[in-house]
Amino acid sequence: MFGTQTLGANPGFGSPTATTTTNPMKDFEVSSPPEDTVSAMEFSPATLQQNFLIAGSWDCSVRCWEVEQSGKTVPKSIKTMGGPVLDVCWADDGSKVFIASTDKQVKCWDLASDQVVQVAQHDAAIKTCHWVKGTNYTCLMT
């Protein structure tokens, strides 16, 4: 259904068979996609020279791809969490990714060192995480 377009007048009701064009919007598919539903994805902030995409999934993973000018995606890294990932967000400088999960934890993925550390914990699954930058402070909201 998605990614195809049916052309012709009232196809399926006595009209000739419609012509189908695959991918009329010229969408791009990421290589090495998650194995389950994607619950959150976000492009890197403009502060980075390169363009990256992160996605959290119900397969308990967070994936990072570099998105080239052509739209081609190059898998860069993957991290596995203790439960399905519900949200992801970037730090404003693009150096870190925050990950909210059903395992009741928020983790910080430092992209330079490729290390993941727990930075928050709740009594239940954590639905969202947001990096907030004020005039004289920054904080992680969960």
Side-chain angles (χ1 to χ4, degrees):
M1 289 281 210
F2 298 103
T4 61
Q5 180 180 14
T6 304
L7 305 174
N10 203 10
F13 292 98
S15 298
T17 306
T19 306
T20 302
T21 306
T22 305
N23 200 11
M25 302 299 288
K26 298 187 179 13
D27 295 332
F28 294 97
E29 290 186 30
V30 296
S31 54
S32 303
E35 296 174 12
D36 204 340
T37 303
V38 173
S39 50
M41 64 181 165
E42 204 171 292
F43 284 98
S44 56
T47 54
L48 295 179
Q49 283 187 306
Q50 296 167 295
N51 197 14
F52 293 95
L53 175 66
I54 54 168
S57 172
W58 278 81
D59 68 0
C60 305
S61 71
V62 177
R63 287 173 166 77
C64 180
W65 298 268
E66 180 179 352
V67 182
E68 297 178 347
Q69 289 288 70
S70 66
K72 178 183 172 192
T73 55
V74 179
K76 288 302 195 180
S77 191
I78 182 173
K79 294 295 177 191
T80 302
M81 301 296 115
V85 176
L86 298 180
D87 200 14
V88 293
C89 70
W90 289 88
D92 60 325
D93 65 359
S95 66
K96 296 173 180 60
V97 171
F98 297 96
I99 306 153
S101 175
T102 61
D103 68 359
K104 306 176 187 177
Q105 299 177 8
V106 173
K107 294 184 179 169
C108 175
W109 180 8
D110 184 308
L111 299 172
S113 68
D114 200 32
Q115 298 297 309
V116 177
V117 296
Q118 180 182 331
V119 294
Q121 184 166 342
H122 290 256
D123 294 333
I126 302 171
K127 185 177 177 183
T128 62
C129 59
H130 303 276
W131 184 251
V132 179
K133 183 175 181 176
T135 54
N136 57 354
Y137 70 93
T138 56
C139 70
L140 176 67
M141 178 178 68
T142 62

